[in-house]
Amino acid sequence: MKLQSIAERLACRLEGDGSVDIQRVAGIERAEAGDLTFVANRKYLAQLATTRASAVILAAAMREEARPPAGCAALYADDPYSAFAGAVGLFVQDSAPARGVDPLSSVASDVALGADVSVGPFVVIGAGASIGARTVVYPNVVIGRGARIGEDCVLHSHVAVRERVAVGNRVVLQNGAVLGSDGFGFAKQPDGSHLKIPQHADVVIEDDVEIGANTTIDRPAVGETRISAGAKIDNLVQIAHGVTIGRRVLLASQVGLAGSTVVEDDVVMAGQVGVGGHLRVGKGVVAAGKSGITKSVEPGEFVTGYPAIPNREWRKASVIFRRLPSLKKRIEELEQRVAELTRRLAECSPPTDQ
Amino acid sequence: MKLQSIAERLACRLEGDGSVDIQRVAGIERAEAGDLTFVANRKYLAQLATTRASAVILAAAMREEARPPAGCAALYADDPYSAFAGAVGLFVQDSAPARGVDPLSSVASDVALGADVSVGPFVVIGAGASIGARTVVYPNVVIGRGARIGEDCVLHSHVAVRERVAVGNRVVLQNGAVLGSDGFGFAKQPDGSHLKIPQHADVVIEDDVEIGANTTIDRPAVGETRISAGAKIDNLVQIAHGVTIGRRVLLASQVGLAGSTVVEDDVVMAGQVGVGGHLRVGKGVVAAGKSGITKSVEPGEFVTGYPAIPNREWRKASVIFRRLPSLKKRIEELEQRVAELTRRLAECSPPTDQ
Amino acid sequence: MKLQSIAERLACRLEGDGSVDIQRVAGIERAEAGDLTFVANRKYLAQLATTRASAVILAAAMREEARPPAGCAALYADDPYSAFAGAVGLFVQDSAPARGVDPLSSVASDVALGADVSVGPFVVIGAGASIGARTVVYPNVVIGRGARIGEDCVLHSHVAVRERVAVGNRVVLQNGAVLGSDGFGFAKQPDGSHLKIPQHADVVIEDDVEIGANTTIDRPAVGETRISAGAKIDNLVQIAHGVTIGRRVLLASQVGLAGSTVVEDDVVMAGQVGVGGHLRVGKGVVAAGKSGITKSVEPGEFVTGYPAIPNREWRKASVIFRRLPSLKKRIEELEQRVAELTRRLAECSPPTDQ
């Protein structure tokens, strides 16, 4: 693809030879001749001088300081990271199953299929389900009875969308994700056994959500589990029954949320964070990796640790944690010195009436 | 369904209009006219006065204090949570594949199929396997050679039951659960490489067990991995090779147990707990979320933290962890004051023979 | 199988009756007559005297101290654990699908299939893919377009190998593993929404790798995610986009590695370890279970805790963590005693000019 054409599609300002043929998008450390690369972060600017790429996407605001080497054209963008995303998209090779319904699938006769859907082999779609226009269903996906999938979705292989789950438009489900498995709800019986509480209520996935590979989203007994519009959830995440995830929330890999917890809009949780049940994590909260949230968090806080506390406090306390042995030693020395002082003071001062 | 009929099926005492038609079971916060709701926990009693539900399940023991509003009938139960479980069960919509074996499955000719089994499309059942009566096998499940599945089980889509795994009666396997994958066992060689130890021994799942979505249960090289009767395991849990899980154990999501560990009866582990290998977790132990158990735990203990210690100790220490900066400051102040005292005492008292 | 024959195949020195018929390999605690057992660890030597096994594998170096009881033959090996691995392998029952391509699969017409491959039912292999000789593909595996799988691999059921992923020789993929799912990469937009960065670059799995059940390995937008030769990865592990895993690395279950991190050769991470993004974990590092690695680690270190610090430091600090309440009490007592000393010194010494 000609660089001039890429510049036009990405609405970037081109400086350099627009006739060069771009083969690939590459990171700046690996870029070769024929590659388009990018610098979205000032700390990679130093590598710009030696890049072998044929072109580089740069921030318009960094134009004065960011000069590509000779023979490397520049594409200036207001937001180079988004322009990079667009550039990668220009080189995507399609891997979806062909349009239409593969004859080796099992689609109930009453399923409503939108225009231009792709349904791969060994896909099962249960009675009463619906699939929106242009949605791609990769092989070996199973969609339960009465489930509704919106338009322009992508369901990668081995996804399970259980019965009556509702999925919005432009939703991406990575391989092996499970939507609508039974919540972990049991009533303890007098003999110590656990009576299963049937989990048959709703799971709602709103528009523009992405769900990671092998992530699990449980349905509750009553009410609903809801993933709000624009939330992005990474791999191997657990969303328990009755949880609500707000808009544009980011949950990194292996996060686990216990039942009925509410995560408000724009929250960001790093990997392996755990959140207890029936809590509220306020709008815009950030939780560092591995944090364990044991009580509700006010909007805007940045928390860390287990139990999660404000990050600033946690950092200070963690530094001292490591020095606990020396702190203990200082206490022991103080005790000796105070004992010595007490002894000497007794010698020095005349006996009192004690 | 008429409320009178629900009361009879749940063996509850009805107070109010039994002729009302119930459409749904709902949580007290969302309940509308036509809904049956419940209060199993005293802390939700305050919401009873304003519920719009047509009927509510209440504890017989709370009858004096728990009065539904006008127009809302009451069902009094000894255990309202179990009655609620029963009520939800009355409204379950069936989502199972039809009875019989779907023609789009691959079932070996010598598989023993019990009466009234349901086997969905794209299911594979290997040679020598058996499936008990009334068991439901959802689409795209794979059951290995010689595996035995009991009666009245439910295997949701994408479950893998590997070769020779034995599953009891009334077992529920959520989507994507893996039973009998190879344990993580290698013998280090002189050149630093890892020789795979074949993992071909047994996995036994006893009666009334539930296994969560995408949970993995490994088989050992020798001996067995065993999940005892009535244990309930949540999503994304890892059970390593040779582990024994006791009866009625509850393991919440993302718990991980290393090899050969024994978890005795009635243990409860909250989410993301980790347990080292070759340990014994005693009967009735409770482990709080994210605990890391690094040595065996005596029966009945309640442990928390990493390394896991008695919860009472952990709570006290955690409170102080957060105050470590102020503790450090107090030590510094003490050091200054002791230095000052020492100096003043030297001035005050005559030189000794030191 | 005759013990004499086993001894020859394992190249062990036999002492005792080589004509005994061995039925099974078993752990020393459960071994019965007809079983071959082993003692690879000195701490199990005590159980040797009472074993009922018909034969036992022992270290040649322990020959003087390790004497099996009467009626139990001995196989002396230089490395009894590796000999045990070999013994287990002698008793493996094959569970693979039959050689050839199952007619209930969907294999694109241009797929290159090596000699003696086994492809089970409901397997999908996309256009342009290749499968090496003797590779076994269990049922319901999905292999994307252009993926390359080497020779002598085993892909267990429900594995997803996404488009263009490259897998070496002798690789084992446990059930439900996902190779090549989209990395978790988004560019934040001015309105707070997250623009997906297409993730279409490479995943490379080198020779002799094993990947655990339901483990997920993401592909990046540019560059590659690489698992180097001989690495062994357990179940439910997350490998983010752009990560490099070195040779012979061992990652236990539920480990999570954030994007672009490099794990050098021979690293060992125990269960539930988390590693931040863009870090380097040096050659031979060992990380204890649940550690959270927040900055790069020098080669050879043994780290623990969150944030991960040298194990020796962490152990000392952890012991004191538990005693924080008593430490705090000692500080309070010191403060009282210093106040008392100050008061008494004021009484004792004449007022100064302060």
Side-chain angles (χ1 to χ4, degrees):
Chain A
M1 196 177 299
K2 295 294 177 200
L3 183 60
Q4 179 65 46
S5 162
I6 294 173
E8 285 161 14
R9 295 208 204 183
L10 301 180
C12 292
R13 190 154 68 82
L14 168 66
E15 290 191 8
D17 178 9
S19 70
V20 63
D21 200 38
I22 297 298
Q23 310 287 340
R24 200 177 66 150
V25 182
I28 193 153
E29 290 167 3
R30 292 164 164 270
E32 303 287 340
D35 290 351
L36 170 63
T37 189
F38 73 106
V39 176
N41 187 319
R42 200 170 290 265
K43 75 177 177 186
Y44 292 104
L45 262 187
Q47 298 182 40
L48 182 58
T50 57
T51 187
R52 300 196 289 187
S54 294
V56 57
I57 298 170
L58 293 166
M62 292 197 293
R63 184 161 175 263
E64 290 311 306
E65 51 188 318
R67 290 290 183 183
C72 177
L75 296 184
Y76 290 102
D78 289 342
D79 174 2
Y81 200 49
S82 296
F84 158 68
V88 174
L90 297 177
F91 289 86
V92 163
Q93 297 172 255
D94 191 40
S95 63
R99 277 199 190 153
V101 177
D102 193 284
L104 290 170
S105 61
S106 175
V107 178
S109 56
D110 65 348
V111 169
L113 293 172
D116 295 327
V117 298
S118 300
V119 175
F122 314 129
V123 167
V124 179
I125 308 181
S130 62
I131 312 289
R134 297 169 302 281
T135 282
V136 174
V137 183
Y138 276 82
N140 294 57
V141 165
V142 176
I143 297 172
R145 290 192 187 168
R148 285 164 288 141
I149 314 285
E151 301 183 344
D152 299 299
C153 293
V154 178
L155 283 68
H156 284 282
S157 77
H158 305 101
V159 159
V161 179
R162 290 266 300 262
E163 60 278 10
R164 300 185 311 281
V165 168
V167 174
N169 300 313
R170 299 172 304 279
V171 169
V172 177
L173 305 177
Q174 298 291 332
N175 310 69
V178 175
L179 277 59
S181 38
D182 292 3
F184 195 64
F186 302 91
K188 193 162 188 177
Q189 301 301 293
D191 66 356
S193 68
H194 307 289
L195 174 69
K196 183 176 175 71
I197 299 169
Q199 308 280 315
H200 284 268
D202 299 334
V203 172
V204 179
I205 313 290
E206 298 186 359
D207 294 344
D208 300 301
V209 165
E210 177 152 352
I211 309 280
N214 286 343
T215 281
T216 57
I217 301 181
D218 277 357
R219 71 193 326 142
V222 296
E224 65 175 28
T225 305
R226 178 174 292 264
I227 314 294
S228 300
K232 310 294 184 183
I233 299 178
D234 201 353
N235 300 341
L236 295 168
V237 170
Q238 155 73 358
I239 309 285
H241 49 171
V243 164
T244 299
I245 302 290
R247 284 173 292 177
R248 300 173 300 277
V249 165
L250 295 178
L251 302 181
S253 180
Q254 296 174 323
V255 163
L257 306 181
S260 301
T261 278
V262 175
V263 178
E264 294 183 352
D265 294 350
D266 301 305
V267 166
V268 176
M269 297 189 189
Q272 299 184 337
V273 167
V275 185
H278 296 272
L279 302 181
R280 177 169 289 266
V281 180
K283 181 172 162 63
V285 163
V286 174
K290 276 195 175 291
S291 299
I293 294 178
T294 57
K295 54 183 189 179
S296 293
V297 183
E298 291 298 306
E301 282 204 55
F302 175 16
V303 297
T304 308
Y306 178 67
I309 57 176
N311 176 267
R312 174 191 288 253
E313 279 187 60
W314 178 84
R315 288 172 77 100
K316 288 184 185 168
S318 287
V319 166
I320 300 173
F321 170 80
R322 191 170 175 173
R323 297 190 213 145
L324 278 180
S326 87
L327 234 55
K328 176 161 167 280
K329 204 173 163 193
R330 284 161 74 179
I331 291 171
E332 286 162 357
E333 285 169 1
L334 278 168
E335 287 168 336
Q336 284 173 15
R337 290 175 65 189
V338 166
E340 169 69 8
L341 280 175
T342 306
R343 189 183 59 73
R344 283 174 58 193
L345 190 61
E347 282 173 6
C348 156
S349 59
T352 65
D353 55 8
Q354 299 188 304
Chain B
M1 195 178 301
K2 294 295 177 200
L3 184 59
Q4 178 65 46
S5 162
I6 294 172
E8 284 162 13
R9 296 208 203 182
L10 301 180
C12 292
R13 190 155 67 83
L14 168 66
E15 290 190 8
D17 177 9
S19 70
V20 63
D21 200 38
I22 297 297
Q23 309 287 341
R24 201 177 68 149
V25 182
I28 194 154
E29 289 167 3
R30 293 163 164 270
E32 303 286 340
D35 290 351
L36 170 62
T37 189
F38 72 106
V39 177
N41 185 320
R42 199 171 291 266
K43 77 175 174 184
Y44 292 103
L45 259 187
Q47 298 182 41
L48 181 59
T50 57
T51 186
R52 298 195 290 186
S54 294
V56 57
I57 299 171
L58 293 165
M62 291 197 294
R63 184 162 175 263
E64 290 311 306
E65 50 187 319
R67 289 293 182 178
C72 176
L75 296 184
Y76 289 103
D78 288 343
D79 175 1
Y81 200 49
S82 297
F84 157 67
V88 173
L90 296 178
F91 288 87
V92 164
Q93 296 172 255
D94 191 39
S95 63
R99 277 199 190 153
V101 176
D102 192 286
L104 290 171
S105 61
S106 174
V107 178
S109 57
D110 65 348
V111 169
L113 292 172
D116 295 328
V117 298
S118 301
V119 175
F122 313 129
V123 167
V124 178
I125 308 182
S130 62
I131 312 288
R134 296 170 302 281
T135 283
V136 173
V137 183
Y138 276 83
N140 295 57
V141 165
V142 175
I143 298 171
R145 290 192 188 168
R148 286 163 287 139
I149 315 284
E151 302 182 344
D152 299 300
C153 293
V154 178
L155 283 69
H156 284 282
S157 75
H158 305 100
V159 158
V161 179
R162 290 267 300 262
E163 59 277 9
R164 300 184 312 281
V165 168
V167 175
N169 300 313
R170 299 173 302 279
V171 169
V172 178
L173 305 177
Q174 297 291 332
N175 310 69
V178 174
L179 277 59
S181 38
D182 292 3
F184 195 64
F186 302 90
K188 191 163 189 175
Q189 301 301 292
D191 66 356
S193 69
H194 307 289
L195 175 69
K196 182 175 175 74
I197 300 168
Q199 308 279 315
H200 284 268
D202 299 334
V203 172
V204 180
I205 313 291
E206 298 185 358
D207 295 343
D208 300 302
V209 166
E210 177 152 351
I211 309 280
N214 286 344
T215 280
T216 58
I217 301 180
D218 276 357
R219 71 193 325 141
V222 296
E224 63 175 31
T225 305
R226 179 173 291 265
I227 314 294
S228 301
K232 309 294 185 184
I233 299 177
D234 201 354
N235 299 343
L236 295 167
V237 170
Q238 155 73 355
I239 309 286
H241 49 170
V243 164
T244 300
I245 302 290
R247 285 172 293 178
R248 299 173 300 276
V249 165
L250 296 179
L251 302 181
S253 179
Q254 297 174 322
V255 163
L257 306 180
S260 301
T261 279
V262 175
V263 177
E264 294 183 352
D265 295 350
D266 301 306
V267 166
V268 177
M269 296 189 190
Q272 300 184 336
V273 167
V275 185
H278 297 271
L279 302 181
R280 177 169 289 267
V281 180
K283 182 172 160 65
V285 163
V286 175
K290 277 193 176 290
S291 298
I293 295 177
T294 57
K295 54 184 190 179
S296 292
V297 184
E298 291 298 305
E301 280 204 57
F302 174 16
V303 297
T304 308
Y306 177 67
I309 57 176
N311 176 266
R312 176 191 288 252
E313 278 188 61
W314 179 84
R315 288 173 78 100
K316 287 183 185 168
S318 286
V319 166
I320 300 173
F321 170 80
R322 190 169 176 173
R323 296 190 213 143
L324 278 180
S326 87
L327 235 55
K328 176 161 166 283
K329 204 173 162 193
R330 285 162 73 179
I331 291 170
E332 287 163 356
E333 285 170 359
L334 278 168
E335 287 169 336
Q336 285 174 12
R337 290 175 65 187
V338 166
E340 169 70 11
L341 281 175
T342 305
R343 190 182 60 72
R344 285 174 58 192
L345 191 59
E347 284 173 7
C348 157
S349 59
T352 66
D353 56 6
Q354 298 186 309
Chain C
M1 195 178 299
K2 295 293 177 200
L3 184 59
Q4 180 65 47
S5 162
I6 293 172
E8 285 162 12
R9 295 207 202 185
L10 301 181
C12 292
R13 191 153 69 82
L14 168 65
E15 290 191 9
D17 178 8
S19 70
V20 64
D21 200 38
I22 298 297
Q23 309 287 340
R24 199 178 67 149
V25 182
I28 194 153
E29 289 168 2
R30 291 163 165 271
E32 303 286 341
D35 289 351
L36 170 63
T37 188
F38 73 107
V39 176
N41 186 320
R42 201 170 290 266
K43 77 177 177 185
Y44 293 103
L45 261 187
Q47 299 182 40
L48 181 60
T50 57
T51 186
R52 299 195 290 186
S54 293
V56 58
I57 299 169
L58 293 165
M62 291 198 294
R63 184 162 175 264
E64 290 312 305
E65 50 187 319
R67 290 292 183 181
C72 176
L75 296 184
Y76 290 102
D78 289 342
D79 175 2
Y81 200 49
S82 296
F84 157 68
V88 173
L90 296 177
F91 289 86
V92 162
Q93 297 172 255
D94 191 42
S95 63
R99 277 200 190 151
V101 177
D102 193 286
L104 289 170
S105 60
S106 174
V107 178
S109 57
D110 66 347
V111 169
L113 292 171
D116 296 328
V117 298
S118 301
V119 175
F122 313 129
V123 167
V124 178
I125 308 182
S130 62
I131 312 288
R134 296 169 304 281
T135 283
V136 174
V137 183
Y138 276 83
N140 295 58
V141 166
V142 175
I143 298 172
R145 291 193 187 167
R148 286 164 288 141
I149 314 285
E151 301 183 344
D152 300 299
C153 294
V154 179
L155 282 69
H156 284 282
S157 76
H158 305 101
V159 159
V161 179
R162 289 267 299 261
E163 59 279 9
R164 301 184 310 282
V165 168
V167 175
N169 300 312
R170 299 173 303 280
V171 169
V172 177
L173 305 178
Q174 297 292 331
N175 311 69
V178 175
L179 278 59
S181 39
D182 292 2
F184 195 63
F186 301 91
K188 192 163 187 175
Q189 301 301 293
D191 66 355
S193 69
H194 307 288
L195 174 69
K196 181 174 175 73
I197 299 169
Q199 308 281 314
H200 283 267
D202 300 335
V203 172
V204 179
I205 313 290
E206 297 185 359
D207 294 344
D208 300 302
V209 166
E210 178 153 350
I211 310 279
N214 286 344
T215 280
T216 57
I217 300 180
D218 277 357
R219 73 193 323 143
V222 295
E224 64 176 30
T225 304
R226 179 173 292 264
I227 313 295
S228 300
K232 310 294 184 184
I233 299 178
D234 201 352
N235 300 342
L236 295 168
V237 170
Q238 155 74 355
I239 308 287
H241 49 171
V243 164
T244 299
I245 302 290
R247 284 173 294 178
R248 299 172 300 276
V249 165
L250 296 178
L251 302 182
S253 179
Q254 296 175 323
V255 163
L257 306 181
S260 302
T261 278
V262 175
V263 178
E264 294 183 352
D265 295 350
D266 302 306
V267 166
V268 177
M269 296 189 190
Q272 300 184 336
V273 167
V275 185
H278 297 271
L279 303 180
R280 178 169 288 267
V281 180
K283 183 171 161 63
V285 163
V286 175
K290 277 193 176 290
S291 298
I293 295 177
T294 56
K295 53 183 188 179
S296 293
V297 184
E298 291 298 306
E301 281 204 57
F302 175 16
V303 297
T304 308
Y306 178 67
I309 57 177
N311 177 266
R312 174 191 288 253
E313 279 188 61
W314 178 84
R315 289 173 77 100
K316 287 183 185 168
S318 286
V319 167
I320 300 173
F321 170 80
R322 190 170 176 172
R323 297 190 213 143
L324 278 180
S326 87
L327 234 55
K328 177 162 166 279
K329 204 173 164 193
R330 284 162 73 179
I331 291 171
E332 286 162 357
E333 285 169 359
L334 278 167
E335 286 168 336
Q336 286 173 12
R337 289 175 64 189
V338 166
E340 170 70 10
L341 281 173
T342 305
R343 190 183 59 73
R344 284 175 58 192
L345 190 60
E347 283 174 6
C348 156
S349 59
T352 66
D353 55 7
Q354 300 186 305

